[in-house]
Structure formats: C-alpha cells, structure tokens
Amino acid sequence: MNSQSLSVREAILERRSVGVFNKQPVDAQDILDILNDAVWAPNHKNRQPWRVILGVGEGLPKVLDVIRDVTIPNYAQLSAEDVAHKMTKFLTPGAYAFVVVPEDLRQHERTEDFAAASCFIQNIMLLAWDRGIGSIWKNPTWLDSPEFTEAIGAKPGERVIAMVQLGYFDKIPAKKTRKPAEEIVTFFGE
C-alpha cells in the first residue's frame, strides 16, 4: 500500500480531471485499496448508500462492449473503423467505476444519499490522484437508460449516478480557474 505523498490541500488543489488516458491498465487491487479508503466519506446515519460496479482487467472489454451497445445502437451496420472512431473516448481509460445508489422514494433520503455518494466519488478521485492515477467523473444521459442499467448489473431500485473513468496519463491537464470565495459567499445579515 502506498503511503500518502500529498497533503489533503495539495490533493484538492493539484487534482485535475483527466480526459486523455494512455491506455495503460489499472490494477484491480489499486482500485480496491482506493475504495477501501474512499468509503470514509461522510454519510448520514452511516448508511453508506453506494455500490460500485467496476470494469477493470478482464472485465474492462466487457464494459466497453456494453458502452458500445448503448451508445452506438447500430454498430453492427458500421465498419470497424467507424465503430473504433465513435468509441475512441471510451477506449483509453484503464478502468471504469460506475457508482450506484438506491432510488429511495423518500426525497430527503434520496438527496442525502446522492450527496454522500458525491463525497465518496470525490474521495475516489483524490485518492487515485495521490497514487498517480487520473480520473474524470462523467454523467452521460445513457447512464439512466434501462438498457444500460440492466446490462451493467444495476439492481432493481438502484440508479447509476456516475461513470468514473480511471487511468494513467502522460500529460497533466492545465489548471482551470475557480471562483474565489468572495464571489460565492453571501454573509447573512448584511
């Protein structure tokens, strides 16, 4: 297990969303180690309302087949080159993590679960960055399609809320500006 090399502040300020990976596979044990730490995200009443469907190692090509089937429904009628071109953005990550939460009928609990799972995802991304593994959190509309949720193994009453692509990269993306606190804070009573 790697010891932490970045402070929390450094991890937050230096982490970047990586959109271009170098196709190097990510070891399943590295992701399991990351997930074992990421579960310490804050969550109301310790419900830990998340589950992860992981596409890594031998499972990665199977995940890519599901993505192809859902995003290119007419792929069988296309040339191999056309399919490869349409799949380019999906082929470079070394692993996929699909974060799943229960679809609680109670609005308050559903909001709490989504917020907790979002903290969990942020933990995954920060911990991966600390290990030199890049990530990007994506929410394509097809994550909600019944065809995808069934094919990926989501259970009835669950919703896939995020696709986290993980992998190694050759270039750190440029830093993007953020709004300063003075722009986003309203002091109550003023």
Side-chain angles (χ1 to χ4, degrees):
M1 182 172 192
N2 293 353
S3 62
Q4 184 176 0
S5 59
L6 298 172
S7 71
V8 172
R9 184 174 189 274
E10 288 170 333
I12 290 169
L13 296 179
E14 293 175 16
R15 186 206 61 80
R16 301 285 179 271
S17 291
V18 175
V20 179
F21 299 96
N22 65 15
K23 297 185 181 182
Q24 183 180 342
V26 178
D27 185 71
Q29 189 59 54
D30 286 339
I31 297 176
L32 291 174
D33 291 344
I34 288 166
L35 294 173
N36 276 320
D37 291 342
V39 297
W40 289 93
N43 61 94
H44 190 69
K45 294 186 180 178
N46 199 26
R47 281 200 303 265
Q48 301 180 54
W50 46 71
R51 190 167 75 83
V52 177
I53 299 169
L54 196 57
V56 64
E58 292 178 10
L60 183 57
K62 294 173 185 173
V63 163
L64 294 173
D65 286 347
V66 170
I67 292 171
R68 180 206 57 214
D69 294 352
V70 172
T71 63
I72 314 170
N74 64 336
Y75 77 89
Q77 288 83 38
L78 301 175
S79 69
E81 296 81 27
D82 285 342
V83 173
H85 177 71
K86 291 177 180 286
M87 286 293 292
T88 300
K89 62 185 173 186
F90 301 112
L91 298 176
T92 62
Y96 280 81
F98 297 94
V99 179
V100 178
V101 297
E103 271 292 351
D104 200 310
L105 296 177
R106 301 166 296 175
Q107 179 63 42
H108 184 75
E109 285 76 3
R110 186 170 48 234
T111 300
E112 287 177 344
D113 290 350
F114 185 83
S118 296
C119 293
F120 172 63
I121 295 165
Q122 174 74 353
N123 281 359
I124 293 169
M125 296 175 78
L126 292 172
L127 291 160
W129 188 260
D130 190 48
R131 289 174 173 256
I133 300 169
S135 63
I136 189 164
W137 176 351
K138 294 189 173 185
N139 292 67
T141 56
W142 47 264
L143 287 184
D144 283 324
S145 77
E147 179 187 8
F148 177 76
T149 57
E150 182 179 328
I152 205 70
K155 298 173 184 172
E158 288 184 327
R159 180 174 178 212
V160 182
I161 63 162
M163 173 177 73
V164 181
Q165 296 174 321
L166 298 137
Y168 296 99
F169 51 95
D170 297 323
K171 183 179 176 188
I172 296 175
K175 182 178 185 177
K176 294 182 182 177
T177 59
R178 298 293 197 259
K179 293 178 182 179
E182 294 77 12
E183 237 181 87
I184 62 169
V185 171
T186 301
F187 287 98
F188 183 76
E190 289 186 8

